[in-house]
Amino acid sequence: MTGGQGAADEVPAHETVEALRDVAQLGGFFALDTALGPASGEERLTGEGFAARAGTVNERYGTVETRIGVSIAHLGLAARLWSPVLACTLVHGIVPVMTTVEWAGDGSALRLAGPRGSRVPRSGSSPVADAVAAQADGVLRRVESHLPVKMAPRLLAGNSASALVGSAAQLLRSRPGLRAPLTELTRELLETGRLRGTGRITGPELTFRRRSCCLYYRAPNGSKCGDCCLVR
């Protein structure tokens, strides 16, 4: 589902835009601006752009430890990728193609240039999970190849899993009627690729316990997150 599906699976651009605008009303990380023109190339998710945003995080939290800013910025980016993809998939049956996602200005918000999407595969749950993971975690992994500092692979995978389940829990609160398919897909995703073994769902409201730490507790006045492996 990275663009190699047949034409029959493709969704007209206006349908993808409408779906993204609808789920953006869920608020927060679900908002993904759309631009019908071609990608500008200037605001793509480059290593330089990510490093600048990670530096801003370090300034905000008053820490000079580069890894902290990188991890927190990475966690936020993961949430902005998983949320609209997960919501569009379950609410509209459309998996947005995220290869043209880019920064929307100087902040952390994103937009999707030249939006397009594909119909949700109908041949079982695993193909759906594979399609969703390719468009959310796949983009995230490309950003990770140009981080300004070396990070533990399991920390990055744990951030992605934490963002996934956090997005799913927020979607569940907004659309409780999606509980069954949402829970099933989230569990499938946690068994997909590098997310396997990153943590476990601990309750019906999609609470989560990860097996790694995002390092936020190391920032001045930081604390342990609710899903942190260090919380007892």
Side-chain angles (χ1 to χ4, degrees):
M1 186 68 66
T2 57
Q5 296 290 318
D9 296 324
E10 295 177 2
V11 177
H14 74 274
E15 285 191 37
T16 302
V17 170
E18 290 171 2
L20 287 168
R21 287 177 177 169
D22 178 54
V23 302
Q25 297 179 54
L26 296 171
F29 295 113
F30 292 91
L32 179 63
D33 194 10
T34 57
L36 290 176
S40 67
E42 298 178 357
E43 298 295 333
R44 288 289 184 86
L45 302 185
T46 61
E48 293 82 1
F50 180 84
R53 286 159 177 81
T56 299
V57 171
N58 277 109
E59 293 174 5
R60 181 185 309 144
Y61 290 104
T63 177
V64 296
E65 189 174 350
T66 305
R67 292 189 309 147
I68 295 174
V70 167
S71 181
I72 295 174
H74 176 268
L75 185 58
L77 175 60
R80 291 184 183 279
L81 292 168
W82 279 113
S83 297
V85 175
L86 195 63
C88 275
T89 297
L90 287 164
V91 176
H92 293 282
I94 296 172
V95 182
V97 175
M98 301 290 281
T99 52
T100 57
V101 71
E102 55 187 26
W103 304 113
D106 295 329
S108 57
L110 301 176
R111 65 170 168 252
L112 190 61
R116 58 194 179 94
S118 297
R119 302 289 179 197
V120 168
R122 300 183 182 278
S123 56
S125 56
S126 292
V128 177
D130 290 342
V132 172
Q135 299 306 333
D137 196 52
V139 170
L140 188 65
R141 295 190 73 169
R142 288 196 288 276
V143 174
E144 291 167 16
S145 66
H146 297 91
L147 295 178
V149 66
K150 184 175 178 59
M151 302 291 291
R154 296 309 291 170
L155 181 153
L156 297 175
N159 279 357
S160 184
S162 178
L164 158 66
V165 184
S167 298
Q170 179 59 46
L171 181 56
L172 176 61
R173 288 189 287 271
S174 300
R175 301 290 179 92
L178 292 175
R179 179 181 295 277
L182 175 57
T183 301
E184 180 181 3
L185 179 56
T186 303
R187 291 186 182 278
E188 285 278 344
L189 284 163
L190 288 174
E191 292 296 323
T192 300
R194 67 168 179 170
L195 300 189
R196 186 178 293 109
T198 52
R200 61 186 178 86
I201 293 174
T202 59
E205 302 308 309
L206 297 181
T207 49
F208 185 61
R209 176 59 57 89
R210 60 185 287 179
R211 294 192 173 97
S212 60
C213 174
C214 73
L215 305 181
Y216 174 57
Y217 81 99
R218 294 175 63 90
N221 301 314
S223 61
K224 297 181 181 70
C225 303
D227 65 356
C228 183
C229 64
L230 301 178
V231 173
R232 301 300 181 188

